[in-house]
Amino acid sequence: MKHCRVLGGKKSREILFDNVEVFFKEDAIPEKVIPRFVSGSNPFLSSAFLNWLLKFQPLEGKSGVSVAYLKGIPVSALMFSQVEVPLSEFIPEPGPVASESRLGKWLGKKMNARAAATRARITIFGNALHAGSWGWQVSLEKAESAELLSAHIRETAEKIDAQKPSSHFYIVKDFVGTDDYYSEVFERDKYRKLPTEPKMILEVDPTWENISGYEMVLKKKYRKRFRDIRKRGVSLEVFELGEEDLKIMETEIHALFEAVQNASSFNLVHIKKGYFRELKKIMKEEFSVFGYRMNHKLVGFRSGFYTPAGLETHFIGLDYSFNREFELYQNMLYDYLEEGIRKKVKQVDFGRTASEIKSNLGAIPLPVLNYVRATDTIGNKLLKPFVKAFKPEAFTLRNPFSE
């Protein structure tokens, strides 16, 4: 039996895990293992998706699933991924040695080169492929769920690291909104808060029958902006990609995705070629991919999920040489909104990054918090300046809607 202390209000009580079962590559998860409380509420914790995750292993690393049991009943489900990144990613500029002397510059250069050559192993608890609290779910009330999740993560980490190689850092993601329950528990467990850019959410007005309904409620300035962007993208051919299309265009799609990833300053996730085709095969109508073509050339794509919450944007790909002239990225954002209106969803979750651009559409920020912890003293010393330097970019929140 596994013991964990759960705080329930002012009193605490003991919870005995019967077992924590960890599934690795090529393991098969029986349908009965997935907790009943997950059914229908989280498409990423369905047995179909989790078995796909274990078999396909979409990340350049290893991914798995953990389930905790209480009195013979699954009470917590958790996804995890182990990835490797250069240790230099954890060292903010200008590096560990900052000096104007020749010796200082030489030492700084040497240490930065060594850090770039050293790989840090990171175990991510949560859905590494998607922003939001889609990678874990527990059955207890909120006041107790933080303790249960924390205990589940500890047990899972022990089993993962027992297989070697062990982890240098743990990241627990994503906690959407503000929640003191989780902060108190994870800070007690020596995790540091790692703020990230907010999720940008646009609530879809049910009176908008189409994108014109949205356009009509914009302020004059933003209506003009909308029309100008749409006009510049009018020559783009937009088409939905099915499973066979994704197979045929696999190389082009992956190259466009890599172009966006390479433009980012910090990335933990690198997906395998064929990811979008395989995801479409398993998610079917819950997952959509649209291509953007110019003169028979694929210049971009966007993807998204339909969840109980609404339409959630996913990975995109861009040929940046077409972006400015045709407002490719901006048109993608409006197309996501148009898709959401057409499907009559309650909201469009535009995800993180480019917060100010997304606020121009009417999206509002929802805070997202991660937690990070090193597994040794040296790692903790590296972690402190990294966390301090890792701050979400400030932006001006816009309101495009007329009163």
Side-chain angles (χ1 to χ4, degrees), residues 26-52:
E26 299 300 337
D27 288 338
I29 304 177
E31 182 75 37
K32 64 181 181 180
V33 167
I34 303 304
R36 276 183 237 156
F37 60 86
V38 170
S39 179
S41 63
N42 189 337
F44 303 102
L45 288 178
S46 67
S47 59
F49 182 86
L50 293 178
N51 279 309
W52 168 81

mmCIF file of all heavy atoms in Angstrom, residues 26-52:
data_model
loop_
_atom_site.group_PDB
_atom_site.id
_atom_site.type_symbol
_atom_site.label_atom_id
_atom_site.label_comp_id
_atom_site.label_asym_id
_atom_site.label_seq_id
_atom_site.Cartn_x
_atom_site.Cartn_y
_atom_site.Cartn_z
ATOM 1 N N GLU A 26 4.453 0.735 -25.816
ATOM 2 C CA GLU A 26 3.958 -0.570 -26.251
ATOM 3 C C GLU A 26 3.066 -1.261 -25.228
ATOM 4 O O GLU A 26 2.529 -2.333 -25.497
ATOM 5 C CB GLU A 26 5.119 -1.513 -26.649
ATOM 6 C CG GLU A 26 5.976 -1.006 -27.796
ATOM 7 C CD GLU A 26 5.183 -0.799 -29.081
ATOM 8 O OE1 GLU A 26 4.132 -1.413 -29.258
ATOM 9 O OE2 GLU A 26 5.638 0.010 -29.910
ATOM 10 N N ASP A 27 2.914 -0.691 -24.030
ATOM 11 C CA ASP A 27 1.936 -1.236 -23.098
ATOM 12 C C ASP A 27 0.536 -0.940 -23.634
ATOM 13 O O ASP A 27 0.328 0.055 -24.325
ATOM 14 C CB ASP A 27 2.078 -0.612 -21.709
ATOM 15 C CG ASP A 27 3.329 -1.080 -20.983
ATOM 16 O OD1 ASP A 27 3.837 -2.159 -21.343
ATOM 17 O OD2 ASP A 27 3.799 -0.380 -20.074
ATOM 18 N N ALA A 28 -0.407 -1.779 -23.296
ATOM 19 C CA ALA A 28 -1.797 -1.538 -23.680
ATOM 20 C C ALA A 28 -2.610 -1.241 -22.424
ATOM 21 O O ALA A 28 -2.484 -1.935 -21.415
ATOM 22 C CB ALA A 28 -2.365 -2.747 -24.401
ATOM 23 N N ILE A 29 -3.419 -0.189 -22.490
ATOM 24 C CA ILE A 29 -4.223 0.205 -21.343
ATOM 25 C C ILE A 29 -5.635 -0.355 -21.523
ATOM 26 O O ILE A 29 -6.348 0.047 -22.446
ATOM 27 C CB ILE A 29 -4.289 1.733 -21.206
ATOM 28 C CG1 ILE A 29 -2.874 2.318 -21.112
ATOM 29 C CG2 ILE A 29 -5.107 2.136 -19.990
ATOM 30 C CD1 ILE A 29 -2.844 3.824 -21.048
ATOM 31 N N PRO A 30 -6.048 -1.249 -20.644
ATOM 32 C CA PRO A 30 -7.423 -1.776 -20.753
ATOM 33 C C PRO A 30 -8.453 -0.672 -20.534
ATOM 34 O O PRO A 30 -8.207 0.281 -19.784
ATOM 35 C CB PRO A 30 -7.489 -2.820 -19.627
ATOM 36 C CG PRO A 30 -6.067 -3.118 -19.286
ATOM 37 C CD PRO A 30 -5.304 -1.860 -19.561
ATOM 38 N N GLU A 31 -9.591 -0.790 -21.186
ATOM 39 C CA GLU A 31 -10.649 0.209 -21.075
ATOM 40 C C GLU A 31 -11.045 0.450 -19.629
ATOM 41 O O GLU A 31 -11.282 1.586 -19.214
ATOM 42 C CB GLU A 31 -11.876 -0.266 -21.873
ATOM 43 C CG GLU A 31 -13.041 0.729 -21.879
ATOM 44 C CD GLU A 31 -12.787 1.922 -22.783
ATOM 45 O OE1 GLU A 31 -12.182 1.737 -23.846
ATOM 46 O OE2 GLU A 31 -13.206 3.030 -22.400
ATOM 47 N N LYS A 32 -11.107 -0.603 -18.813
ATOM 48 C CA LYS A 32 -11.578 -0.481 -17.435
ATOM 49 C C LYS A 32 -10.605 0.299 -16.552
ATOM 50 O O LYS A 32 -10.982 0.751 -15.467
ATOM 51 C CB LYS A 32 -11.806 -1.860 -16.831
ATOM 52 C CG LYS A 32 -10.545 -2.704 -16.695
ATOM 53 C CD LYS A 32 -10.860 -4.073 -16.104
ATOM 54 C CE LYS A 32 -9.578 -4.910 -15.953
ATOM 55 N NZ LYS A 32 -9.874 -6.246 -15.381
ATOM 56 N N VAL A 33 -9.367 0.461 -16.995
ATOM 57 C CA VAL A 33 -8.378 1.179 -16.194
ATOM 58 C C VAL A 33 -8.675 2.676 -16.155
ATOM 59 O O VAL A 33 -8.424 3.351 -15.154
ATOM 60 C CB VAL A 33 -6.956 0.915 -16.738
ATOM 61 C CG1 VAL A 33 -5.943 1.891 -16.140
ATOM 62 C CG2 VAL A 33 -6.541 -0.519 -16.440
ATOM 63 N N ILE A 34 -9.185 3.220 -17.259
ATOM 64 C CA ILE A 34 -9.447 4.656 -17.312
ATOM 65 C C ILE A 34 -10.593 4.981 -16.360
ATOM 66 O O ILE A 34 -11.683 4.426 -16.471
ATOM 67 C CB ILE A 34 -9.799 5.108 -18.740
ATOM 68 C CG1 ILE A 34 -8.656 4.710 -19.690
ATOM 69 C CG2 ILE A 34 -10.038 6.605 -18.790
ATOM 70 C CD1 ILE A 34 -7.299 5.247 -19.301
ATOM 71 N N PRO A 35 -10.335 5.876 -15.407
ATOM 72 C CA PRO A 35 -11.358 6.191 -14.394
ATOM 73 C C PRO A 35 -12.661 6.677 -15.000
ATOM 74 O O PRO A 35 -12.672 7.368 -16.012
ATOM 75 C CB PRO A 35 -10.687 7.309 -13.577
ATOM 76 C CG PRO A 35 -9.234 7.132 -13.797
ATOM 77 C CD PRO A 35 -9.090 6.603 -15.188
ATOM 78 N N ARG A 36 -13.762 6.300 -14.368
ATOM 79 C CA ARG A 36 -15.078 6.695 -14.860
ATOM 80 C C ARG A 36 -15.253 8.209 -14.892
ATOM 81 O O ARG A 36 -15.939 8.744 -15.733
ATOM 82 C CB ARG A 36 -16.168 6.067 -13.976
ATOM 83 C CG ARG A 36 -16.528 4.648 -14.373
ATOM 84 C CD ARG A 36 -17.642 4.137 -13.509
ATOM 85 N NE ARG A 36 -17.227 2.907 -12.841
ATOM 86 C CZ ARG A 36 -17.765 2.471 -11.717
ATOM 87 N NH1 ARG A 36 -18.698 3.158 -11.133
ATOM 88 N NH2 ARG A 36 -17.345 1.350 -11.183
ATOM 89 N N PHE A 37 -14.619 8.905 -13.932
ATOM 90 C CA PHE A 37 -14.794 10.355 -13.861
ATOM 91 C C PHE A 37 -14.166 11.070 -15.051
ATOM 92 O O PHE A 37 -14.441 12.238 -15.304
ATOM 93 C CB PHE A 37 -14.219 10.911 -12.565
ATOM 94 C CG PHE A 37 -12.740 10.662 -12.375
ATOM 95 C CD1 PHE A 37 -11.797 11.529 -12.913
ATOM 96 C CD2 PHE A 37 -12.288 9.571 -11.659
ATOM 97 C CE1 PHE A 37 -10.442 11.300 -12.757
ATOM 98 C CE2 PHE A 37 -10.929 9.339 -11.485
ATOM 99 C CZ PHE A 37 -10.003 10.210 -12.030
ATOM 100 N N VAL A 38 -13.303 10.379 -15.803
ATOM 101 C CA VAL A 38 -12.673 10.969 -16.982
ATOM 102 C C VAL A 38 -13.601 10.889 -18.191
ATOM 103 O O VAL A 38 -13.580 11.738 -19.078
ATOM 104 C CB VAL A 38 -11.332 10.270 -17.285
ATOM 105 C CG1 VAL A 38 -10.790 10.707 -18.640
ATOM 106 C CG2 VAL A 38 -10.318 10.567 -16.197
ATOM 107 N N SER A 39 -14.434 9.869 -18.238
ATOM 108 C CA SER A 39 -15.249 9.553 -19.409
ATOM 109 C C SER A 39 -16.021 10.767 -19.935
ATOM 110 O O SER A 39 -16.811 11.374 -19.225
ATOM 111 C CB SER A 39 -16.227 8.436 -19.071
ATOM 112 O OG SER A 39 -17.031 8.136 -20.189
ATOM 113 N N GLY A 40 -15.736 11.126 -21.194
ATOM 114 C CA GLY A 40 -16.461 12.207 -21.857
ATOM 115 C C GLY A 40 -15.988 13.603 -21.521
ATOM 116 O O GLY A 40 -16.266 14.544 -22.262
ATOM 117 N N SER A 41 -15.265 13.766 -20.427
ATOM 118 C CA SER A 41 -14.874 15.114 -20.018
ATOM 119 C C SER A 41 -13.489 15.515 -20.501
ATOM 120 O O SER A 41 -13.152 16.685 -20.524
ATOM 121 C CB SER A 41 -14.932 15.239 -18.487
ATOM 122 O OG SER A 41 -13.998 14.345 -17.886
ATOM 123 N N ASN A 42 -12.667 14.538 -20.863
ATOM 124 C CA ASN A 42 -11.301 14.826 -21.290
ATOM 125 C C ASN A 42 -10.917 13.872 -22.419
ATOM 126 O O ASN A 42 -10.546 12.724 -22.164
ATOM 127 C CB ASN A 42 -10.339 14.666 -20.108
ATOM 128 C CG ASN A 42 -8.942 15.150 -20.433
ATOM 129 O OD1 ASN A 42 -8.540 15.210 -21.590
ATOM 130 N ND2 ASN A 42 -8.181 15.496 -19.413
ATOM 131 N N PRO A 43 -10.988 14.333 -23.673
ATOM 132 C CA PRO A 43 -10.682 13.451 -24.808
ATOM 133 C C PRO A 43 -9.251 12.947 -24.819
ATOM 134 O O PRO A 43 -8.949 11.927 -25.444
ATOM 135 C CB PRO A 43 -10.965 14.339 -26.026
ATOM 136 C CG PRO A 43 -10.845 15.741 -25.529
ATOM 137 C CD PRO A 43 -11.326 15.702 -24.109
ATOM 138 N N PHE A 44 -8.348 13.647 -24.106
ATOM 139 C CA PHE A 44 -6.941 13.249 -24.096
ATOM 140 C C PHE A 44 -6.643 12.159 -23.065
ATOM 141 O O PHE A 44 -5.534 11.645 -23.006
ATOM 142 C CB PHE A 44 -6.059 14.467 -23.837
ATOM 143 C CG PHE A 44 -6.258 15.568 -24.845
ATOM 144 C CD1 PHE A 44 -7.016 16.682 -24.528
ATOM 145 C CD2 PHE A 44 -5.730 15.469 -26.110
ATOM 146 C CE1 PHE A 44 -7.229 17.693 -25.451
ATOM 147 C CE2 PHE A 44 -5.941 16.469 -27.051
ATOM 148 C CZ PHE A 44 -6.693 17.580 -26.718
ATOM 149 N N LEU A 45 -7.630 11.845 -22.226
ATOM 150 C CA LEU A 45 -7.451 10.764 -21.272
ATOM 151 C C LEU A 45 -8.382 9.585 -21.582
ATOM 152 O O LEU A 45 -8.654 8.760 -20.719
ATOM 153 C CB LEU A 45 -7.686 11.268 -19.836
ATOM 154 C CG LEU A 45 -6.588 12.187 -19.270
ATOM 155 C CD1 LEU A 45 -6.941 12.658 -17.870
ATOM 156 C CD2 LEU A 45 -5.229 11.491 -19.263
ATOM 157 N N SER A 46 -8.867 9.528 -22.814
ATOM 158 C CA SER A 46 -9.640 8.368 -23.244
ATOM 159 C C SER A 46 -8.674 7.212 -23.485
ATOM 160 O O SER A 46 -7.489 7.424 -23.769
ATOM 161 C CB SER A 46 -10.413 8.682 -24.520
ATOM 162 O OG SER A 46 -9.511 8.871 -25.601
ATOM 163 N N SER A 47 -9.152 5.995 -23.377
ATOM 164 C CA SER A 47 -8.269 4.841 -23.597
ATOM 165 C C SER A 47 -7.735 4.833 -25.024
ATOM 166 O O SER A 47 -6.586 4.450 -25.272
ATOM 167 C CB SER A 47 -9.007 3.536 -23.285
ATOM 168 O OG SER A 47 -10.151 3.398 -24.104
ATOM 169 N N ALA A 48 -8.555 5.284 -25.989
ATOM 170 C CA ALA A 48 -8.111 5.311 -27.394
ATOM 171 C C ALA A 48 -6.928 6.253 -27.570
ATOM 172 O O ALA A 48 -5.926 5.899 -28.203
ATOM 173 C CB ALA A 48 -9.267 5.729 -28.302
ATOM 174 N N PHE A 49 -7.038 7.466 -27.013
ATOM 175 C CA PHE A 49 -5.949 8.429 -27.164
ATOM 176 C C PHE A 49 -4.704 7.967 -26.418
ATOM 177 O O PHE A 49 -3.575 8.061 -26.934
ATOM 178 C CB PHE A 49 -6.376 9.809 -26.657
ATOM 179 C CG PHE A 49 -5.309 10.859 -26.823
ATOM 180 C CD1 PHE A 49 -5.182 11.547 -28.008
ATOM 181 C CD2 PHE A 49 -4.403 11.129 -25.802
ATOM 182 C CE1 PHE A 49 -4.177 12.498 -28.193
ATOM 183 C CE2 PHE A 49 -3.403 12.081 -25.957
ATOM 184 C CZ PHE A 49 -3.292 12.767 -27.159
ATOM 185 N N LEU A 50 -4.867 7.467 -25.206
ATOM 186 C CA LEU A 50 -3.708 7.077 -24.406
ATOM 187 C C LEU A 50 -2.987 5.883 -25.019
ATOM 188 O O LEU A 50 -1.750 5.820 -25.001
ATOM 189 C CB LEU A 50 -4.139 6.770 -22.975
ATOM 190 C CG LEU A 50 -4.657 7.974 -22.178
ATOM 191 C CD1 LEU A 50 -5.111 7.551 -20.789
ATOM 192 C CD2 LEU A 50 -3.612 9.077 -22.077
ATOM 193 N N ASN A 51 -3.731 4.939 -25.575
ATOM 194 C CA ASN A 51 -3.077 3.813 -26.246
ATOM 195 C C ASN A 51 -2.344 4.269 -27.503
ATOM 196 O O ASN A 51 -1.283 3.744 -27.844
ATOM 197 C CB ASN A 51 -4.097 2.721 -26.577
ATOM 198 C CG ASN A 51 -4.399 1.833 -25.384
ATOM 199 O OD1 ASN A 51 -3.489 1.311 -24.749
ATOM 200 N ND2 ASN A 51 -5.668 1.648 -25.065
ATOM 201 N N TRP A 52 -2.921 5.254 -28.208
ATOM 202 C CA TRP A 52 -2.222 5.847 -29.356
ATOM 203 C C TRP A 52 -0.926 6.505 -28.895
ATOM 204 O O TRP A 52 0.133 6.349 -29.523
ATOM 205 C CB TRP A 52 -3.119 6.883 -30.030
ATOM 206 C CG TRP A 52 -2.381 7.736 -31.026
ATOM 207 C CD1 TRP A 52 -2.074 7.405 -32.314
ATOM 208 C CD2 TRP A 52 -1.834 9.038 -30.817
ATOM 209 N NE1 TRP A 52 -1.370 8.430 -32.914
ATOM 210 C CE2 TRP A 52 -1.208 9.445 -32.013
ATOM 211 C CE3 TRP A 52 -1.814 9.918 -29.722
ATOM 212 C CZ2 TRP A 52 -0.571 10.679 -32.149
ATOM 213 C CZ3 TRP A 52 -1.182 11.135 -29.858
ATOM 214 C CH2 TRP A 52 -0.561 11.508 -31.057
#
